Amino acid sequence: MANIQEIARLAGVSTATVSRVINKHGYVSDLTRQKVLGIIEELDYVPNANAISLKKGETRQIGIITISFSPIIINFVRAFTLFAEKNGFIITLFITNGEPEKELIALEMLKRKQLDAIVCLIRSNEWDVIESYARYGPIVIWQRLQNKNLPSVFMEQFHAYWTGLEYLHSKGYRKILSIYPMSKGLNTKERIRAHSEFVKKHNLMAYSFPHFEDKTLVRDGEKLAKWWVSQEVRPDAIFCANDEVAAGLMTALRRLGFSIPGDLGIMGFDNTEVAHLLDITTIDYPIDQQAENAFIILHNKLNNIKNKLNTLTYRLVERRST
Amino acid sequence: MANIQEIARLAGVSTATVSRVINKHGYVSDLTRQKVLGIIEELDYVPNANAISLKKGETRQIGIITISFSPIIINFVRAFTLFAEKNGFIITLFITNGEPEKELIALEMLKRKQLDAIVCLIRSNEWDVIESYARYGPIVIWQRLQNKNLPSVFMEQFHAYWTGLEYLHSKGYRKILSIYPMSKGLNTKERIRAHSEFVKKHNLMAYSFPHFEDKTLVRDGEKLAKWWVSQEVRPDAIFCANDEVAAGLMTALRRLGFSIPGDLGIMGFDNTEVAHLLDITTIDYPIDQQAENAFIILHNKLNNIKNKLNTLTYRLVERRST
């Protein structure tokens, strides 16, 4: 392949001049520019972008790390990618399947300057491992964490979850079962805390059900339906970890001939498309604005600026499942 | 930051030796290796991977181009990413929103050796533009195209669509309306051809309805429900472009008090999760195996090998919407 020396020789100019033409930076007379461009065209010269980014020290690539694709994560990735692309960045996607080594590939790329920044949605390594890479480039995280090296776009779930529980209470439900998402997550802890305070406040201690955690899929909701049917004392409402669990639960019970909300009130979380389709009452999660905040945080850090973040607020969406 | 010359000087060895240690390639005595690694550790030296890939001429990055995220595309991206990661590649994602310039960013990265290969799911540029980049690295496409420079993993849709239509006929439906996906797509042309031959074969010409194209979203199905309700002579079955349209149509009609399949038979395409949830009869699309084929084609080209592709077959999944 042609190189910059060869182009300079054929054009009768210095390599510095060729470089100025290629990088569109610095003064070159029109005549010289045309001459150099003509030779570049003739030789089909392709500037190697890895060499370019070596010099500029940036790749304009941001990595997104996640364990898997759930509807809410897909919405985040879609929104973040559009914001990043609008600002001239491209997205590298790492689906780790929960394997720490795969996550380390992304973190090592940040260290080696192959990525400018990282968004970590669901992690696979311990936090201190991830934090140890923060000195190589900005890392923003989705989950709840108090750590000055790892800024997070998490939303406080206690109040939102509490609002959902109070809404169910206002509709007359008293035997409310909560189904929680990932057991390691701090969001889960906040939801458990909200449920426990709610039960105390309304003196609902008499109705205690088993503890369900790590339920995030349609098929988890379907299994839950079987459990519900088999109980002597059944919950009268189930507040699901997300809309997918609610959808699986609702459709499985309807197949068995039960009526929703007649026999059971069902509430989801996130307000994804399936909640709209199946008319499921849920908590709206402003994922697009959250994704934009993640981008703003990284962009601010990379450019040493202070653009303002969106204010994120939950919203109860009442539909026909409660 | 420390560089390789400094490490060599401190270790009292040549830069070539340091390079052999860093790249884990070529003989270095254990003693020397330990010495060099000790100094690297001490200086917190990070080899710049862009410099490494300059030398090796590969980045082990594959770009995926799509216009947007639909459930079937998400399933493709997920499956492809897992295959690629298992083989030591990482995925860069380009959501073009239909803007040709965004697609060109990916194609230019292939040209500049920042990507080893590209999977183009839904294109935004004309085919000849995309083809002109095929000489810089392998490009595999999802859509139907006969072009030796652009191998495709497309599946012939005529037969699958025909099978769906014949199934509806066998269930007694005679006024069948087909709703087609993207108007520019060759898949749409194949479905139109299948429908037209089917109508002729069974002499169903008397029932003609408007032509619906470019319908791929839940809200398209919801609008279709309004259209159906407003008709004097209504179709007795609708074969939708995909499961999302079918889901929107079905849930909107049920909200209006109609019975599915009592008042209308509904059939989807793709067998995504929503078809399972809503009990929609559909055509199963082996997207995981198709994604694996896309990876095998690229991998074969990059390594000049000939691993065998999966045989892809459609399958009718009968559920309760017909």
Side-chain angles (χ1 to χ4, degrees):
Chain A
M1 197 192 288
N3 63 27
I4 198 167
Q5 282 79 15
E6 194 178 348
I7 295 164
R9 190 177 55 77
L10 290 170
V13 300
S14 69
T15 54
T17 302
V18 177
S19 170
R20 280 201 293 276
V21 173
I22 290 168
N23 294 304
K24 294 172 188 162
H25 185 76
Y27 176 77
V28 183
S29 76
D30 276 356
L31 195 72
T32 306
R33 184 184 309 281
Q34 288 314 320
K35 200 167 171 188
V36 171
L37 288 176
I39 286 159
I40 285 174
E41 180 71 33
E42 210 174 288
L43 297 178
D44 193 27
Y45 169 73
V46 180
N48 186 315
N50 292 325
I52 292 171
S53 69
L54 257 182
K55 229 168 35 184
K56 296 195 186 158
E58 62 174 20
T59 57
R60 305 206 54 93
Q61 290 197 34
I62 298 175
I64 300 182
I65 297 173
T66 182
I67 282 184
S68 62
F69 268 179
S70 69
I72 191 81
I73 284 178
I74 286 160
N75 290 347
F76 185 101
V77 171
R78 179 185 358 224
F80 187 89
T81 303
L82 291 175
F83 289 123
E85 288 181 344
K86 215 190 319 184
N87 286 278
F89 286 85
I90 61 165
I91 296 308
T92 302
L93 187 65
F94 299 87
I95 305 180
T96 63
N97 234 353
E99 297 165 33
E101 315 80 53
K102 283 199 186 168
E103 189 170 82
L104 282 172
I105 292 173
L107 294 165
E108 283 291 320
M109 283 181 72
L110 183 69
K111 185 170 169 180
R112 291 164 184 224
K113 319 295 175 204
Q114 290 177 297
L115 294 173
D116 287 348
I118 280 179
V119 182
C120 182
L121 291 173
I122 315 265
R123 72 188 164 113
S124 302
N125 283 282
E126 294 303 319
W127 284 121
D128 58 344
V129 174
I130 295 167
E131 192 189 350
S132 73
Y133 283 89
R135 62 185 162 138
Y136 301 112
I139 300 174
V140 69
I141 61 176
W142 192 47
Q143 289 164 288
R144 192 168 180 270
L145 194 69
Q146 302 290 9
N147 182 317
K148 71 173 173 45
N149 293 320
L150 297 175
S152 166
V153 288
F154 85 94
M155 290 180 67
E156 178 57 73
Q157 299 221 334
F158 181 91
H159 183 70
Y161 204 74
W162 178 271
T163 305
L165 290 166
E166 285 288 352
Y167 161 78
L168 289 173
H169 192 266
S170 75
K171 298 288 282 187
Y173 297 108
R174 293 297 177 267
K175 294 180 274 181
I176 301 170
L177 168 64
S178 280
I179 306 293
Y180 302 107
M182 290 170 302
S183 35
K184 282 202 298 184
L186 291 166
N187 284 343
T188 296
K189 283 192 189 143
E190 285 302 282
R191 294 188 189 188
I192 291 173
R193 191 164 70 85
H195 188 104
S196 146
E197 292 196 15
F198 166 81
V199 162
K200 268 184 225 142
K201 176 189 167 192
H202 292 288
N203 213 16
L204 302 172
M205 270 85 83
Y207 311 112
S208 83
F209 300 106
H211 186 77
F212 290 91
E213 253 181 25
D214 261 322
K215 307 296 177 205
T216 57
L217 306 173
V218 165
R219 63 169 178 272
D220 291 326
E222 291 169 343
K223 279 186 208 153
L224 191 61
K226 280 189 198 157
W227 172 86
W228 183 84
V229 169
S230 72
Q231 298 304 297
E232 266 186 52
V233 180
R234 291 170 177 161
D236 57 6
I238 299 187
F239 195 170
C240 296
N242 61 26
D243 297 330
E244 285 66 53
V245 175
L249 173 62
M250 172 189 263
T251 52
L253 285 179
R254 283 196 175 145
R255 267 171 220 167
L256 294 168
F258 292 96
S259 145
I260 308 297
D263 295 314
L264 176 71
I266 296 180
M267 183 147 169
F269 205 100
D270 292 343
N271 198 23
T272 52
E273 187 160 63
V274 76
H276 160 73
L277 263 177
L278 293 174
D279 262 331
I280 297 172
T281 298
T282 188
I283 307 279
D284 182 72
Y285 190 106
I287 192 81
D288 284 22
Q289 297 180 319
Q290 195 185 38
E292 188 176 21
N293 277 359
F295 180 77
I296 293 171
I297 291 174
L298 296 179
H299 202 233
N300 282 352
K301 285 211 166 199
L302 288 172
N303 298 287
N304 212 5
I305 52 176
K306 286 195 174 173
N307 284 336
K308 248 184 93 183
L309 300 180
N310 300 306
T311 308
L312 308 181
T313 46
Y314 289 108
R315 186 171 54 89
L316 185 103
V317 180
E318 183 174 26
R319 294 204 182 96
R320 296 201 273 178
S321 68
T322 47
Chain B
M1 196 190 287
N3 62 28
I4 198 167
Q5 282 79 14
E6 194 178 348
I7 295 165
R9 191 176 54 78
L10 291 169
V13 300
S14 68
T15 54
T17 302
V18 177
S19 170
R20 279 201 293 275
V21 172
I22 290 168
N23 294 304
K24 294 173 186 160
H25 184 77
Y27 177 76
V28 183
S29 77
D30 274 356
L31 195 70
T32 306
R33 184 183 311 278
Q34 288 313 319
K35 201 169 174 186
V36 171
L37 288 176
I39 288 161
I40 285 174
E41 180 72 32
E42 210 173 287
L43 298 178
D44 193 27
Y45 169 74
V46 180
N48 186 314
N50 292 326
I52 291 172
S53 69
L54 257 183
K55 231 169 35 187
K56 295 194 185 159
E58 63 175 20
T59 58
R60 304 205 57 90
Q61 290 197 34
I62 299 174
I64 299 182
I65 296 173
T66 181
I67 282 185
S68 63
F69 267 180
S70 69
I72 192 81
I73 284 179
I74 286 160
N75 289 347
F76 185 102
V77 171
R78 179 188 352 230
F80 186 90
T81 303
L82 291 175
F83 288 122
E85 288 181 345
K86 215 189 320 179
N87 286 278
F89 286 84
I90 60 164
I91 295 308
T92 302
L93 187 64
F94 299 87
I95 305 180
T96 64
N97 235 350
E99 297 165 33
E101 315 79 56
K102 283 200 185 166
E103 189 170 83
L104 282 171
I105 292 173
L107 294 166
E108 283 291 320
M109 283 182 72
L110 183 69
K111 185 170 168 180
R112 291 164 183 224
K113 318 294 175 206
Q114 290 176 297
L115 294 173
D116 288 348
I118 281 179
V119 182
C120 182
L121 290 173
I122 315 265
R123 70 184 166 117
S124 302
N125 283 283
E126 294 303 319
W127 286 121
D128 59 343
V129 174
I130 296 168
E131 191 189 351
S132 74
Y133 284 88
R135 60 184 162 141
Y136 301 112
I139 300 174
V140 69
I141 62 178
W142 192 45
Q143 290 164 286
R144 191 169 181 269
L145 193 70
Q146 302 290 7
N147 181 318
K148 71 175 174 41
N149 292 321
L150 297 175
S152 166
V153 289
F154 85 96
M155 289 180 68
E156 178 57 73
Q157 299 220 337
F158 182 91
H159 183 69
Y161 205 74
W162 178 272
T163 305
L165 290 166
E166 284 288 350
Y167 160 79
L168 289 173
H169 192 266
S170 76
K171 298 288 281 188
Y173 296 108
R174 293 295 178 269
K175 294 181 274 182
I176 301 170
L177 169 64
S178 280
I179 306 293
Y180 302 106
M182 292 170 303
S183 34
K184 282 203 298 184
L186 290 167
N187 283 344
T188 296
K189 283 192 188 145
E190 284 303 282
R191 293 188 190 188
I192 291 173
R193 192 165 67 87
H195 188 103
S196 144
E197 291 195 15
F198 166 81
V199 161
K200 268 184 225 146
K201 177 188 165 192
H202 292 288
N203 212 16
L204 302 172
M205 271 84 83
Y207 311 111
S208 83
F209 300 106
H211 187 78
F212 291 92
E213 254 181 26
D214 261 322
K215 306 297 174 203
T216 57
L217 306 173
V218 165
R219 63 170 176 272
D220 292 325
E222 290 169 345
K223 280 185 206 154
L224 191 61
K226 280 188 200 157
W227 173 86
W228 183 85
V229 169
S230 72
Q231 297 305 297
E232 266 186 53
V233 180
R234 292 169 175 161
D236 56 6
I238 299 186
F239 195 170
C240 296
N242 61 26
D243 297 331
E244 286 66 52
V245 175
L249 174 62
M250 172 188 262
T251 52
L253 286 178
R254 283 196 176 145
R255 268 171 219 167
L256 294 169
F258 292 96
S259 144
I260 308 296
D263 295 313
L264 176 70
I266 295 179
M267 182 147 171
F269 205 99
D270 292 343
N271 198 24
T272 52
E273 188 161 63
V274 76
H276 160 74
L277 262 176
L278 292 174
D279 262 331
I280 297 171
T281 298
T282 189
I283 307 280
D284 182 73
Y285 191 105
I287 193 80
D288 284 24
Q289 295 179 321
Q290 195 184 36
E292 189 175 22
N293 278 359
F295 181 76
I296 293 171
I297 290 173
L298 296 179
H299 203 234
N300 283 351
K301 284 211 167 198
L302 288 171
N303 296 286
N304 213 3
I305 52 177
K306 286 195 174 176
N307 285 336
K308 246 183 95 182
L309 301 180
N310 300 305
T311 307
L312 308 180
T313 45
Y314 289 108
R315 186 172 54 90
L316 185 103
V317 180
E318 184 175 25
R319 294 203 181 96
R320 295 202 273 178
S321 68
T322 47

